[in-house]
Amino acid sequence: MLCDVNAFLGSWPFSIVPEYSAPQLADYLAQSGIRRAVVSHLGAVFQPDPMLANRKLLAAVRRTPALAPLPIVNPLLANWREQLTELGANAAVRAVRILPNYHNYALKSRRLDPFMDALAEAKLKLVLTARLEDERHRYFALRVKGVPCKAIAAFLARFPDHHILCTGVPLFDIQNLAEKHANFSSDLSYAENITMMEMLRDKIAPSRLMFGTFAPLVSARAQAAKLTQSPLTAQERKLIYAENARRFFSL
Amino acid sequence: MRIIDVHTHPVFMRRGLQRTEIDWLVAHGRALGIERMVTLGDVLLHGRFPTGEQISAINDVTAQVQSWYPDYFVSFCFLNPTLGERHVMSEVERCVTKYGFKGLKLEICNNASDACMKPVMEAARRWNLVVLQHSWSMTNIKQRSFHTDPADTALLARRHPDVKIIMAHLTGCGVRGVLEAKGLPNLYIDTSGGLPDEGLIEYAVEHLGVDHVLYGSDLPGRAATVAIQRVVGARLTPAERKKILYDNSARLLQLN
């Protein structure tokens, strides 16, 4: 069984992929052997107040047990404490996602210090998304760059007590970050190579890798094949397929 | 499931060109149902402007790979069109007559709409070779002076309607690239490149016709497992899937 830590509801304005309802997304993922998924709402990427989309997300996944909510928070909005309080009050929420470059702040911002403290107090985990798409061939007017590896490294070093799951990180960046930062975990949605697992094995323990897809914008079946058709050890399969996600998100 | 992978670079594997690496790759490919791989060479080994000697050395390595598995690899001759007609013609003749190469591979030495492509297309015509042109949307990548946009590949196809051309990298070309390629009977598109975006293969089939879509992986930078399952998972009929994975490339490259 696979657990996807990087799936989405809502629509991406520049994609030809239609919007899925929560049950439709769960069915789509299940067809590729993905029985559980941690899901954010794409509306929270672009709307000025992410809570509108977060509330839609929480309502949408309530009756779809295969999907767990991962709300998106903007720590630079004046009401970020209210956001966290509201989300933290929902028992289904175990973590929040931040999108620094879509929400126009740098990871080095000092305003993240109280935010990280508040996350710890609320016992919420953090998912840091480096990118949501391939910058090379996306819609021309969207000029958001991926979060640089150096910025992620500095952030990890600044908050060593927070174990952070990063998504949308390229293979070589995963290798670099894993070696120096014990509090770094990564999904594999953006990593690919014919010998991907061989290249990762020397650099990062399987306990720090999780399966992710970008579904439904990216083919879940193709992303699943990255693992299901790789020569993984039994331990790697157990951990990366779902166990690490279960533990991180307390699923 | 029978597969021909029309876009591979099996020479820059992790430990470099070694027989054991190629043995592993062929076994890996066969286990996935890949019966033939088109090998395009280590095209970025010497940067963007390889010299004539470097071009020949790259093609010699491609020939070496082919010689280890002559029934598996189908080789394309890598060219730097900016080196001029004499070099292009002699290198193509050498690779076709000495090694039996089946096609030409163009990367980022120049834009496909440049005048230096004329002798390349003349060579393709003379030796009945398929041309595979690296293509990627240049809307965000500001390199169009030397890096080919799908619109440039489509222009190349319009200028040379008697030469069969593969526009590489469906994902990098995107919806706009598919629409650029529409209605050009001598132009095909391969499914390689980038993340396996959902819906794009179906879009290409709808607009270009299934006969114009070819399976490609761009390994080793991308994984064949991912590229194959992207096609298998697309909303296609079994007959359409079979055409994309095998029949279209077999026919185009006359492999049966």
Side-chain angles (χ1 to χ4, degrees):
Chain A
M1 183 197 103
L2 288 161
C3 177
D4 180 358
V5 300
N6 199 29
F8 296 89
L9 284 169
S11 65
W12 188 254
F14 318 111
S15 168
I16 58 174
V17 177
E19 185 170 346
Y20 285 37
S21 68
Q24 284 170 335
L25 179 64
D27 284 349
Y28 167 80
L29 295 170
Q31 285 165 26
S32 301
I34 303 164
R35 305 289 174 195
R36 296 226 61 185
V38 181
V39 183
S40 298
H41 198 292
L42 290 167
V45 179
F46 296 106
Q47 292 165 4
D49 180 355
M51 289 308 290
L52 304 174
N54 287 335
R55 288 180 197 120
K56 271 190 204 167
L57 169 74
L58 294 169
V61 303
R62 204 170 45 213
R63 289 196 171 82
T64 310
L67 306 182
L70 177 60
I72 295 172
V73 172
N74 183 345
L76 258 69
L77 289 181
N79 73 337
W80 67 263
R81 280 190 194 276
E82 280 175 44
Q83 294 178 45
L84 278 191
T85 303
E86 180 178 340
L87 295 170
N90 188 314
V93 176
R94 310 292 167 78
V96 296
R97 186 197 290 267
I98 58 170
L99 297 163
N101 287 8
Y102 284 88
H103 287 162
N104 195 29
Y105 60 91
L107 282 176
K108 66 183 179 190
S109 167
R110 284 294 149 198
R111 293 175 71 174
L112 286 169
D113 292 335
F115 175 74
M116 296 299 281
D117 290 343
L119 277 184
E121 263 175 48
K123 295 189 167 42
L124 290 171
K125 296 283 183 60
L126 181 68
V127 177
L128 164 60
T129 295
R131 59 181 48 70
L132 289 167
E133 60 178 348
D134 189 330
E135 291 115 277
R136 293 174 299 170
H137 52 266
R138 59 158 169 221
Y139 178 66
F140 70 95
L142 190 64
R143 301 196 181 275
V144 180
K145 292 180 180 166
V147 181
C149 185
K150 271 186 184 173
I152 297 173
F155 187 70
L156 291 164
R158 190 166 132 213
F159 298 106
D161 296 334
H162 288 260
H163 195 102
I164 297 166
L165 169 61
C166 298
T167 64
V169 182
L171 180 59
F172 295 109
D173 288 354
I174 294 175
Q175 290 177 310
N176 288 334
L177 291 166
E179 279 194 310
K180 291 171 194 150
H181 303 282
N183 58 332
F184 166 77
S185 281
S186 180
D187 87 329
L188 294 170
S189 57
Y190 207 79
E192 191 182 331
N193 187 285
I194 197 169
T195 55
M196 179 187 79
M197 281 312 299
E198 195 183 327
M199 293 168 77
L200 286 172
R201 209 165 266 140
D202 299 341
K203 309 280 184 184
I204 183 167
S207 58
R208 294 161 64 195
L209 292 171
M210 300 185 207
F211 171 68
T213 62
F214 282 121
L217 303 174
V218 167
S219 165
R221 187 182 181 112
Q223 293 281 46
K226 203 185 277 181
L227 290 182
T228 58
Q229 298 187 23
S230 277
L232 303 182
T233 65
Q235 178 73 350
E236 286 170 342
R237 185 169 294 117
K238 181 182 164 200
L239 294 175
I240 302 171
Y241 271 34
E243 186 59 32
N244 294 335
R246 254 191 226 119
R247 199 173 301 150
F248 187 87
F249 291 102
S250 306
L251 296 173
Chain B
M1 187 164 60
R2 304 178 71 191
I3 300 169
I4 297 170
D5 191 334
V6 81
H7 195 132
T8 78
H9 301 276
V11 288
F12 47 94
M13 309 289 288
R14 197 177 173 199
R15 286 174 286 272
L17 177 68
Q18 294 177 20
R19 175 67 192 252
T20 51
E21 292 267 305
I22 302 302
D23 292 344
W24 177 87
L25 178 66
V26 172
H28 175 71
R30 283 182 173 149
L32 296 172
I34 301 170
E35 294 185 9
R36 307 292 295 267
M37 282 186 190
V38 172
T39 169
L40 304 172
D42 198 348
V43 294
L44 294 172
L45 179 65
H46 300 293
R48 196 160 71 73
F49 280 121
T51 64
E53 283 180 3
Q54 289 167 335
I55 287 280
S56 296
I58 289 168
N59 289 327
D60 287 343
V61 170
T62 300
Q64 171 73 75
V65 170
Q66 180 183 264
S67 73
W68 286 332
Y69 288 93
D71 297 329
Y72 197 76
F73 290 110
V74 178
S75 299
F76 276 31
C77 169
F78 174 48
L79 292 172
N80 176 353
T82 67
L83 296 175
E85 182 171 2
R86 185 181 293 181
H87 171 80
V88 164
M89 288 300 185
S90 67
E91 185 61 12
V92 173
E93 182 172 3
R94 186 179 80 90
C95 288
V96 172
T97 58
K98 187 174 176 188
Y99 298 135
F101 282 15
K102 293 271 194 181
L104 306 179
K105 162 65 171 155
L106 288 314
E107 188 63 22
I108 55 170
C109 305
N110 61 284
N111 184 294
S113 65
D114 290 347
C116 63
M117 287 296 286
K118 202 172 172 187
V120 173
M121 303 311 278
E122 176 53 34
R125 199 174 290 116
R126 186 181 302 174
W127 297 100
N128 191 27
L129 301 169
V130 174
V131 173
L132 191 147
Q133 172 66 60
H134 168 87
S135 311
W136 205 278
S137 172
M138 288 297 109
T139 306
N140 297 330
I141 303 170
K142 307 296 182 192
Q143 299 177 342
R144 199 160 174 183
S145 61
F146 60 87
H147 201 153
T148 297
D149 184 87
D152 305 316
T153 309
L155 178 61
L156 185 71
R158 277 196 292 275
R159 283 176 177 166
H160 303 277
D162 52 345
V163 177
K164 292 187 168 73
I165 298 169
I166 301 170
M167 177 190 281
H169 306 312
L170 169 63
T171 311
C173 293
V175 164
R176 185 173 63 79
V178 169
L179 297 177
E180 291 283 359
K182 193 169 183 172
L184 294 169
N186 61 324
L187 187 55
Y188 302 77
I189 194 161
D190 82 38
T191 61
S192 73
L195 289 174
D197 285 353
E198 189 64 273
L200 206 45
I201 290 177
E202 293 91 326
Y203 190 85
V205 168
E206 180 189 343
H207 287 272
L208 304 181
V210 69
D211 293 345
H212 286 259
V213 183
L214 315 174
Y215 165 72
S217 68
D218 203 13
L219 67 81
R222 312 305 301 193
T225 50
V226 173
I228 291 168
Q229 289 306 315
R230 182 189 190 190
V231 179
V232 171
R235 292 178 300 280
L236 302 168
T237 66
E240 288 173 331
R241 207 167 284 131
K242 183 169 171 288
K243 282 187 170 189
I244 292 171
L245 289 171
Y246 188 89
D247 295 348
N248 293 343
S249 291
R251 190 180 61 250
L252 182 66
L253 297 167
Q254 301 173 337
L255 294 180
N256 286 333

